[in-house]
Amino acid sequence: MKNNNIILMGFMGVGKGSLARELAKQTSRIAIDTDDLIESLENTTIKKIFKKKGEDYFRAREKEIARWLKKSVKNSIISIGGGFYQVGNLHKIGHVIYLESSFDSILKRINACENAESKLQKRPLLQDMQKAKKLMQERHPKYLASADTVVHTAGKDSAAIADEIIHLLEL
Ligand code: S3P
């Protein structure tokens, strides 16, 4: 497995971050999140980056982070932003797992959180639900094309998905 990293890919709100933390705990690895890296690099929030500098600027930062991950990160669980797959060649960073779900299950998952409002607010591409659903449908084949492994997540909690991945990849 390249660099021995595991990459968690999927649409916004599918639960990549919590799953990364769960998997990291269970496999004694470190969890890294590309949005967190960009926020510290820019010393501001994703929401403000989109608003002040635009999406293209954000995508360029993602490419920079991808180069750094490929060169410098090993043995880690990496959760990536929903559009990060566009950097291309994710396989060079690690084993790519597509966390597949339905739009309704994702909304259900977000709405079940205590901080649902802030989870929605902080995501610029999750403001208009019609547009977000369309974006998810457009991305699905691209996620599939970028994935080494597909895991269905609807109705499962992080611990169950982590167990499934540990079993599948023999971690
Ligand atoms: C985006 C997903 C977000 C974040 C940014 C853009 C996308 O990450 O990178 O708001 O294009 O799908 P999450 O998938 O962690 O919400």
Side-chain angles (χ1 to χ4, degrees):
M1 204 189 286
K2 296 99 359 192
N3 293 350
N4 226 14
N5 291 315
I6 291 164
I7 302 176
L8 302 179
M9 174 185 72
F11 200 64
M12 292 173 274
V14 77
K16 293 162 288 188
S18 10
L19 178 61
R21 290 188 292 277
E22 179 67 36
L23 264 178
K25 193 173 84 186
Q26 291 201 31
T27 62
S28 304
R29 295 177 187 221
I30 289 196
I32 296 179
D33 181 83
T34 60
D35 284 345
D36 290 349
L37 290 172
I38 292 172
E39 290 192 336
S40 40
L41 191 70
E42 293 287 317
N43 195 24
T44 185
T45 62
I46 303 286
K47 189 177 173 181
K48 284 189 182 146
I49 299 172
F50 266 71
K51 195 167 170 214
K52 293 191 179 152
K53 300 191 170 169
E55 183 170 345
D56 288 351
Y57 180 87
F58 175 75
R59 300 298 173 202
R61 296 286 75 74
E62 287 192 313
K63 287 209 170 101
E64 216 172 285
I65 293 294
R67 284 192 289 273
W68 177 76
L69 289 170
K70 188 177 139 205
K71 210 171 125 213
S72 312
V73 175
K74 291 184 175 57
N75 302 320
S76 300
I77 312 288
I78 307 170
S79 49
I80 61 175
F84 194 89
Y85 72 92
Q86 295 169 93
V87 302
N89 284 324
L90 281 181
H91 309 285
K92 290 193 173 165
I93 302 173
H95 185 93
V96 187
I97 301 181
Y98 171 27
L99 304 174
E100 206 256 325
S101 190
S102 66
F103 193 70
D104 288 348
S105 303
I106 286 178
L107 284 188
K108 211 169 143 192
R109 186 183 171 275
I110 294 176
N111 286 323
C113 295
E114 233 173 69
N115 57 343
E117 194 58 37
S118 98
K119 279 187 176 291
L120 289 171
Q121 275 302 316
K122 71 176 199 179
R123 294 179 160 103
L125 301 180
L126 208 48
Q127 300 308 303
D128 176 328
M129 290 305 149
Q130 301 281 18
K131 278 192 193 160
K133 189 170 183 177
K134 194 163 165 265
L135 182 64
M136 183 171 160
Q137 284 162 352
E138 283 165 11
R139 281 185 180 170
H140 174 68
K142 297 169 188 165
Y143 287 144
L144 282 177
S146 309
D148 294 306
T149 302
V150 180
V151 172
H152 300 277
T153 65
K156 300 175 190 164
D157 65 14
S158 300
I161 305 166
D163 283 348
E164 199 173 321
I165 291 173
I166 287 168
H167 181 74
L168 266 173
L169 303 190
E170 299 178 359
L171 297 175

